[in-house]
Amino acid sequence: MAICLPDTQDDTPKIPIKLTRVGVTGVKKLLQLERVNKRPIILLPTFDAFVDLPYNQKGVHMSRNPEAISEVLESVSEDNSVGVESLCAKIVEKMMDKHEYAQRVEISMTTDYMFMHESPVTKNKTQEMANLKAKAIGIRDDEGNVSIRKSIGAEVIGMTVCPCAQ
């Protein structure tokens, strides 16, 4: 005999309060981005995914967030033109579909990115590391239209002068 628990997320709460950021953090996935005539880029990004919760709803369907991330990553693995900020925008679109009540959806991604760097003087090649960050925010207006703002950035460590020159 199976026991079915009630789905309470769509119920009206006793105290109606709107929450602006409800979601999951630390979702790790393997991501391989194909590039034309180049080796694929393999990343191990960490995603944070949030939606807003209207005052008249008791909870969000939390499993939809990592589900949206997985579905989009699977669909873009063979697309050699997608960038990580566009990947985040696609996840936002998918989350907007899954959370029809949400007016605001936010996804952020961070990952280490290894690249080859050539020394300007010695011409020696070395591996360098950067922390790649991408983010997308989707806003749904009163007519149901969604606008998405995306951004990308990187944190790198570098030195512009030899410390012994000081």
Side-chain angles (χ1 to χ4, degrees), residues 18-42:
K18 177 181 168 117
L19 299 176
T20 56
R21 292 181 85 217
V22 179
V24 296
T25 60
V27 178
K28 284 196 172 287
K29 295 289 182 180
L30 180 65
L31 173 61
Q32 180 171 321
L33 297 172
E34 297 294 331
R35 294 297 179 238
V36 177
N37 299 328
K38 293 183 182 179
R39 291 186 307 169
I41 298 170
I42 299 173

Side-chain angles (χ1 to χ4, degrees), residues 22-143:
V22 179
V24 296
T25 60
V27 178
K28 284 196 172 287
K29 295 289 182 180
L30 180 65
L31 173 61
Q32 180 171 321
L33 297 172
E34 297 294 331
R35 294 297 179 238
V36 177
N37 299 328
K38 293 183 182 179
R39 291 186 307 169
I41 298 170
I42 299 173
L43 303 171
L44 187 60
T46 301
F47 293 93
D48 297 336
F50 303 100
V51 300
D52 64 337
L53 180 65
Y55 71 92
N56 60 350
Q57 189 164 320
K58 201 171 201 175
V60 298
H61 300 273
M62 203 67 74
S63 63
R64 294 178 185 176
N65 293 359
E67 183 179 84
I69 294 167
S70 294
E71 288 173 8
V72 171
L73 292 184
E74 204 167 297
S75 71
V76 301
S77 63
E78 299 299 319
D79 186 352
N80 58 20
S81 65
V82 70
V84 290
E85 72 279 14
S86 296
L87 172 78
C88 287
K90 288 178 184 291
I91 295 170
V92 163
E93 289 173 2
K94 181 68 81 172
M95 286 176 61
M96 281 286 192
D97 290 343
K98 291 180 176 290
H99 297 283
E100 60 281 346
Y101 51 83
Q103 289 183 303
R104 185 179 188 280
V105 169
E106 177 183 333
I107 186 86
S108 62
M109 184 199 93
T110 60
T111 186
D112 288 332
Y113 177 67
M114 184 75 68
F115 61 96
M116 294 302 292
H117 179 75
E118 184 178 285
S119 168
V121 176
T122 65
K123 304 297 184 202
N124 290 337
K125 291 185 178 181
T126 62
Q127 292 181 348
E128 297 291 333
M129 183 70 74
N131 188 6
L132 187 62
K133 298 175 178 258
K135 185 175 192 174
I137 297 173
I139 306 287
R140 188 187 328 259
D141 65 17
D142 293 335
E143 287 83 43

Side-chain angles (χ1 to χ4, degrees), residues 7-20:
D7 186 8
T8 61
Q9 287 90 344
D10 294 328
D11 291 349
T12 303
K14 291 178 184 176
I15 302 172
I17 299 174
K18 177 181 168 117
L19 299 176
T20 56

